[in-house]
Amino acid sequence: MALITPGFGGRRRDDANLPPGQYRTDDFPVLSAGPTPRIGLDEWELAVITETGERSTWSWAEFTALPADEPTVDIHCVTHWSKFGTRWRGVSLDTLLADVETAAEYVVAHSYGGYSTNLPLEDLLDGRAWVAYEFDGEPLVPVHGGPARLLVPHLYFWKSAKWLRALELRLDDEPGFWETAGYHNYGDPWREQRYRAD
Amino acid sequence: MSTNIGADDALWVDGNALAGPLGEIMGTDLTVAELTCAGCRTTRPLAAMRVFDRAPGLVARCPGCGEVVMRVVRMAGRVLVDLRGSLVLSLPVPVA
Ligand SMILES: [Zn+2]
């Protein structure tokens, strides 16, 4: 007869949603590699730039008039915290890139303030990524990346660039701010891809 | 020790915060080392840089122009020091 330990089979739903090496927090820690940029909505602009140099841009009014989603997602920071059930409002990358002609396979997200991070284009498509401008029903505050940030919850959260300014579509991959400083190029929390040797 | 604690902005501390992690691996007090910023070409002791430590690594920025002069990332068994934002690193010769 099998020895059933107390609690066996009663594993909390949360545990199954926690990637290896992570702990759960209900806070929303602020991580920042530099001063918080303050961008007025009248000067804010989002650009998509293709590998041929073609630019599509949205003003704040144009951007917030696009159809928006309200994803509720778990987020995982490489500094080991995970936060479950975060509620956002944002524009899907499928919507933003719908009319963009490109053969690119890679994207570099550029931020106001100089930050950058790189991702495969396919990771931004099929309902897996957004440009988010509300958190928990409120406008996204500057310390969390407002006016608008990238939201790619299936990768470590450094890939979800705060203060998003432009998405550069590229034929080749170009590592960003943390990827050039020892962090993993892809950053899958479920495979614990924290550092480049992982 | 200077810092912007209390300001409505991302927190930074001064370059002395680098002494621990760098001293540990290099066995010398690097806060007296001087760095020349690739952004504005001014030279300052490492202790004078602004270090953003609430991040996946330590990010040292020039207090003059705000550019990144050094990034320090600690991983399992290694510490990576990225110096692409600096033109020159100068160190005092230890007195015998
Ligand atoms: Zn400088």
Side-chain angles (χ1 to χ4, degrees), chain A residues 31-33 36 38 177 183, chain B residues 8-9 54 56 61 71 74:
Chain A
L31 275 78
S32 200
T36 306
R38 312 273 167 176
F177 186 89
Y183 277 92
Chain B
D8 180 24
D9 201 351
R54 307 291 204 276
R61 290 179 180 267
R71 293 174 290 176
R74 181 176 201 132

Side-chain angles (χ1 to χ4, degrees), chain B residues 37 39-40 42 62 65:
Chain B
C37 170
C40 66
T42 55
C62 169
C65 71

Side-chain angles (χ1 to χ4, degrees), chain B residues 49-80:
Chain B
M49 302 300 171
R50 294 180 173 176
V51 178
F52 292 81
D53 59 353
R54 307 291 204 276
L58 298 172
V59 179
R61 290 179 180 267
C62 169
C65 71
E67 289 295 321
V68 176
V69 292
M70 179 188 276
R71 293 174 290 176
V72 180
V73 170
R74 181 176 201 132
M75 51 196 85
R78 294 195 90 73
V79 174
L80 183 147

Side-chain angles (χ1 to χ4, degrees), chain B:
Chain B
M1 184 111 182
S2 69
T3 168
N4 68 337
I5 286 175
D8 180 24
D9 201 351
L11 190 73
W12 55 263
V13 294
D14 70 33
N16 289 304
L18 293 165
L22 291 180
E24 188 188 339
I25 48 166
M26 301 199 186
T28 179
D29 177 13
L30 272 184
T31 58
V32 297
E34 291 184 339
L35 282 182
T36 304
C37 170
C40 66
R41 297 177 181 253
T42 55
T43 299
R44 291 182 172 85
L46 197 51
M49 302 300 171
R50 294 180 173 176
V51 178
F52 292 81
D53 59 353
R54 307 291 204 276
L58 298 172
V59 179
R61 290 179 180 267
C62 169
C65 71
E67 289 295 321
V68 176
V69 292
M70 179 188 276
R71 293 174 290 176
V72 180
V73 170
R74 181 176 201 132
M75 51 196 85
R78 294 195 90 73
V79 174
L80 183 147
V81 181
D82 183 305
L83 281 166
R84 77 191 60 194
S86 291
L87 295 175
V88 179
L89 168 69
S90 76
L91 294 155
V93 176
V95 183

Side-chain angles (χ1 to χ4, degrees), chain A residues 14 16 35 67 72 95-96 146 149 159 170:
Chain A
D14 289 2
T72 296
T95 301
L96 278 175
R149 73 178 298 161
K159 296 285 187 180
R170 299 175 61 95

Side-chain angles (χ1 to χ4, degrees), chain A residues 177-190:
Chain A
F177 186 89
W178 288 118
E179 294 85 1
T180 53
Y183 277 92
H184 199 276
N185 199 53
Y186 183 64
D188 179 353
W190 294 97

